[in-house]
Amino acid sequence: MSRQLFTFNGGVHPEGHKAESNATPIRPMPLLPRYVVPLRQHIGAPARPLVQAGDAVLGGQMIGAPEGYVSTAAHAPTSGRVVAVAPHAVPHPSGLFDLCVVIEADGEDRSIDFQPLDWRKLDPSALRNRIREMGLAGLGGAVFPSYIKLNPSGQTLHTLILNGAECEPWITCDDRLMRERAAEIVLGIEVMAHTLGVKTILIGIEDNKPEALAAMGAAAPSGMEVVAVPTGYPGGGGKQLTYTLTGVETPTGGRSTDAGIQVFNVGTAYSLYRAVYLGEPLLSRVVTVTGHVANPGNFEARIGTPMTDLLAAAGGALDGADGEIVGGPMMGFDLMDQAAPVTKSVNCLIVKDPVRFPPRPTTLPCIRCGACARACPADLQPFEMYWFSRAKDFGKAQSYNLFDCIECGCCAYVCPSHIPLVDFFRFAKSEIWEREQEKHGADQARQRHEFKEFRLEREKREKAEKFARAAEKNKEAAATTTTDATADPDAEKKKAILQAALDRAKKAKEAVTPRNTDNLPPRVEKEIAEIEARRAQAEAKTESGEG
Amino acid sequence: MISAILVMAGIGLALGAILGWASVRYRVEDDPLVEKIDAILPQTQCGQCGFPGCKPYAEAIAKGEADINKCPPGGADGVKRLAELLGVEAKPLGEGLEPKPKAIAVIDENTCIGCTLCVQACPVDAIIGAAKQMHTIIADQCTGCELCLPPCPVDCISMEVVKEDVANWKWRYPVHMMKREA
Ligand code: SF4
Ligand code: SF4
Ligand code: SF4
Ligand code: SF4
């Protein structure tokens, strides 16, 4: 381990609180009576539901198909019956409901036949396709579909970094996973390295996890280097870990792949092992339950496990509990509804108590002390970005590289005025995104409108030309025949067809909406008459339009 | 399979070419100020400003014939940006012009008789369907201008307000206890 390490600027050293949950092995969870599987668990387009209420499903059966490029599948966690495909509480900072498949377990826990993959023989693109169907997504938090990250797509990659830093306080799921399942993680890493064609493999683990370092070191074959990195938040941020290990800085707006480096979480490597060696889709993940609970620890929870059941498995919240955080205390968000399920992105559930998680003190004005800028690992100037975000001057905020902010929370952590800086940055970012989308929509609309005008223009011209030609012909023929210029022989027929269609539509409408036009007050009668008149008018217009 | 892809690609290229050609051929020699104003307008083409579309309104503003506060879909934000562009004072939206929540048109497909009247009315070609076929609105392309509502002879088009969901949700402006700030 003689690798030279680089130290990124900024960062903070909050209390780790790892010991609360990392002393006991990962515990399995009992089979639950009910699971809720959201169809949008990853970044990108939600999966398209493949089942409906009443369908019987088996464990591992695909219930949501990937839709579009950036998307991945969702699967039934056990055998049973679909009771609903409907909006349901999900772990999201908004507290809004999202489309979920609710499954009632039959208690038999039967599964589909899992087919292991011969990954060395399989064509890389076929392998990626299978991984997409197995629903693999990054388990480190960003939940980006894994199959995309496993595609070098023209870029030459030379280094694969495995992120086992787990820098955020309280979270220990990767720590336990590395201690207990190092051999499997290594098998998963081999598949990654094979698919990406990389030469160097680095496994970065913070030096506050000696057991995990030892376990991974023992399991790693030659060619995989396990590196202890200094403990410090956010040492496990993708850009920060990449810099620490290689000295390569990810450019503004760029990705580490531009520099030939791909980063995966160790948990993702483990799920890749299960997918390839056992043929099992992503059905479960390790979740830390900690804080103010009776029995903190790590749990192997099926995707779709309601948070209430997860809490119960950890012995339940203790007296005086004061809400829950999904994720870590630095980057997580408050859980709005305990009915929300564990998803692929949920790595930790912290029960708050008023002592260790006191309410945020009253915000004071910014004194421009610069502490936030010194703490920022992305070398930004948070106080400037705050100033302009607060004033809703988004252009200016953006000019201070707002979009390089990784929302790590270091700035807010050190701010002596207790300003919720990250909240302002998230607000500003989503406003800017919306504007960009609106702008894009407006540009599209303008183009479509211009094209329509052009089309109408062209049609008019073509019609005119046709008439001119026809007139010419008519003139020639006029010598022999006299035509009735006004009567369109088709008019009567067209009118009849339209009338028939209108009658049909009326019937159809009556069929869906029961007729309730008897004994109506005169006001409504009048309205109906007006509508009928409008229809008649429109009808007349159609005719003249078509004639 | 290959031929299907080629055909689709071909159609795409051809349409693209037409579009490109059209944008060059049918460009009225534009005043750059009109372009800039038009870029701020929301392109709903709804006519609520009293002009037959966003571009004509932009032209009227450029000539100084129309006020900047006539576009309800653009809202107060749009007025502000126009004011900034033209170096004038921002003002509230004009009398009786209220921005509505964003909505898109939906066709009741059971009732539609396929008369194509709505297709002719839609300024952005967001409705698809041929004569006597059921018609559908492409939600992504509908600007919510409501121009397709009046022509429909069976009143089967209605406006549905776009609901907030996990995908389009935005972080709120932070409400935090602020001690008096200068
Ligand atoms: S740390 Fe807080 S008070 Fe100091 S400059 Fe940054 S935002 Fe202002
Ligand atoms: S949240 Fe953003 S601005 Fe604040 S320290 Fe982290 S990267 Fe810097
Ligand atoms: S579908 Fe209707 S509301 Fe939507 S853009 Fe077209 S005409 Fe306007
Ligand atoms: S105008 Fe109404 S009936 Fe005619 S095609 Fe459009 S939706 Fe259907």
Side-chain angles (χ1 to χ4, degrees), chain A residues 320-339:
Chain A
D322 185 20
E324 303 87 19
I325 302 174
V326 177
M330 301 293 286
M331 296 184 74
F333 55 88
D334 284 334
L335 180 65
M336 301 288 201
D337 189 336
Q338 286 198 1

Side-chain angles (χ1 to χ4, degrees), chain B residues 23-78:
Chain B
S23 67
V24 177
R25 170 73 178 74
Y26 282 87
R27 164 159 306 151
V28 217
E29 272 325 309
D30 276 327
D31 182 346
L33 182 62
V34 173
E35 295 263 293
K36 275 191 199 137
I37 298 171
D38 196 42
I40 293 174
L41 297 175
Q43 304 304 318
T44 20
Q45 318 294 352
C46 61
Q48 289 177 75
C49 50
F51 293 87
C54 300
K55 191 67 166 281
Y57 178 39
E59 280 159 3
I61 296 179
K63 282 196 216 124
E65 287 166 2
D67 213 342
I68 56 170
N69 63 348
K70 297 273 178 255
C71 171
D77 204 52

Side-chain angles (χ1 to χ4, degrees), chain A residues 376-413:
Chain A
C376 178
D379 300 325
L380 303 174
Q381 285 169 307
F383 56 93
E384 301 280 17
M385 297 182 340
Y386 158 65
W387 185 255
F388 292 118
S389 302
R390 187 166 158 260
K392 303 188 189 170
D393 192 343
F394 301 118
K396 287 260 177 51
Q398 225 174 331
S399 70
Y400 281 93
N401 292 336
L402 176 65
F403 280 90
D404 277 356
C405 166
I406 57 169
E407 299 174 21
C408 66
C410 290
C411 50
Y413 182 80

Side-chain angles (χ1 to χ4, degrees), chain A residues 31 107 117 192 200 218 293 354 372 414 416 421 455 475 543:
Chain A
L31 183 67
L117 307 177
M192 288 176 172
T200 315
V293 290
C372 50
V414 298
L421 293 158
R455 187 165 53 84
K475 232 192 264 160
E543 233 176 276

Side-chain angles (χ1 to χ4, degrees), chain A residues 45 205 222 291 545:
Chain A
I205 305 172
S222 65

Side-chain angles (χ1 to χ4, degrees), chain A residues 40 92 94 363 390 424 427 430-431 434 442 446 448-449 451-452 454-455 461 501 505 509 531 535, chain B residues 19 26 38-39 43 45 113 119-120 122-125 141 153-155 169-171 173 176-177 179:
Chain A
R40 188 200 315 265
H92 190 267
S94 66
T363 299
R390 187 166 158 260
F424 280 97
F427 158 73
S430 60
E431 287 294 326
E434 194 197 34
R446 182 185 298 111
R448 299 180 69 83
H449 179 57
F451 182 64
K452 170 154 187 164
F454 155 72
R455 187 165 53 84
R461 200 178 58 238
K509 208 168 193 175
I531 291 169
R535 272 187 200 160
Chain B
L19 208 65
Y26 282 87
D38 196 42
Q43 304 304 318
Q45 318 294 352
I113 56 171
V119 178
Q120 294 165 39
C122 177
V124 293
D125 281 341
Q141 291 170 356
V154 293
D155 283 340
W169 178 77
K170 292 191 296 176
W171 287 92
Y173 189 75
H176 52 294
M177 296 156 288
K179 274 200 184 151

Side-chain angles (χ1 to χ4, degrees), chain A residues 222-355:
Chain A
S222 65
M224 276 185 211
E225 196 179 334
V226 178
V227 189
V229 297
T231 298
Y233 181 83
K239 290 180 183 179
Q240 283 68 35
L241 187 65
T242 305
Y243 182 73
T244 306
L245 290 173
T246 63
V248 172
E249 274 185 73
T250 315
T252 292
R255 298 222 178 106
S256 63
T257 44
D258 299 336
I261 301 168
Q262 184 62 290
V263 186
F264 277 99
N265 175 266
V266 287
T268 314
Y270 177 73
S271 58
L272 185 60
Y273 152 78
R274 289 190 84 94
V276 169
Y277 282 84
L278 310 179
E280 193 187 289
L282 181 51
L283 295 179
S284 67
R285 66 158 298 148
V286 182
V287 188
T288 306
V289 186
T290 184
H292 205 51
V293 290
N295 245 324
N298 284 286
F299 297 86
E300 176 96 48
R302 298 187 203 216
I303 306 297
T305 300
M307 296 289 186
T308 25
D309 296 282
L310 187 64
L311 273 176
L318 296 172
D319 278 351
D322 185 20
E324 303 87 19
I325 302 174
V326 177
M330 301 293 286
M331 296 184 74
F333 55 88
D334 284 334
L335 180 65
M336 301 288 201
D337 189 336
Q338 286 198 1
V342 169
T343 62
K344 295 170 188 175
S345 66
V346 174
N347 53 1
C348 183
L349 184 66
I350 307 175
V351 178
K352 295 194 280 186
D353 59 71
V355 181

